[in-house]
Amino acid sequence: MQPAIRVMMMPRDTNAHGTIFGGHILSLLDQAGAVAAHAIGARKVVTVAVREVVFKEPVHVGDIVSLYAEVTDVGTSSLTIRVRVEAHEPIGGRSVEVTTAELVYVQVDDRGRPVPIQRILPPRDAEC
């Protein structure tokens, strides 16, 4: 999995219990998936599905949240991307897996209609 986003959690992102609002983490999941989609050549993508998100650990104000993403499937106009979320305490160094989710995106044109993805292949390693 490749790093997609890294963010420090702020007080404005908390819920009534003083931990980070799950909806904020969902937003970051969606953004991380889109970053991975663009990295392989997708242009304008829309989210069509977020498959099961189970929050295993709470995230606290001041935690640094890292999101890692990998493209697991590319169809004609759709992509499936797996995103893992980890929270790191900057003081103390504790690190926990918060959740992992699978997201599905579709590449669309300016009218919102699905269009084929022209995948960009990563550069080949230099041969010795």
Side-chain angles (χ1 to χ4, degrees):
M1 291 188 129
Q2 296 295 314
I5 298 175
R6 191 170 191 173
V7 181
M8 181 178 280
M9 296 295 98
M10 303 302 284
R12 70 176 175 267
D13 303 321
T14 58
N15 59 28
H17 306 291
T19 56
I20 302 303
F21 179 54
H24 184 66
I25 302 299
L26 290 173
S27 174
L28 293 173
L29 272 165
D30 197 16
Q31 292 175 55
V35 167
H38 296 308
I40 67 146
R43 301 285 183 233
K44 184 178 182 180
V45 294
V46 295
T47 310
V48 296
V50 178
R51 298 193 177 128
E52 191 176 47
V53 177
V54 176
F55 292 103
K56 301 172 186 173
E57 295 283 341
V59 179
H60 303 279
V61 171
D63 284 355
I64 297 169
V65 172
S66 300
L67 294 97
Y68 302 90
E70 68 177 334
V71 176
T72 59
D73 189 41
V74 179
T76 302
S77 62
S78 66
L79 312 113
T80 302
I81 299 172
R82 185 170 179 259
V83 180
R84 185 178 75 239
V85 181
E86 295 178 359
H88 313 276
E89 288 180 354
I91 300 171
R94 185 176 83 101
S95 183
V96 296
E97 181 179 336
V98 175
T99 192
T100 299
E102 189 175 76
L103 295 93
V104 179
Y105 298 85
V106 170
Q107 179 171 262
V108 297
D109 62 18
D110 290 335
R111 291 186 251 165
R113 295 185 182 139
V115 293
I117 296 168
Q118 294 182 342
R119 187 173 183 166
I120 297 172
L121 297 175
R124 295 179 70 187
D125 292 338
E127 295 181 4
C128 297

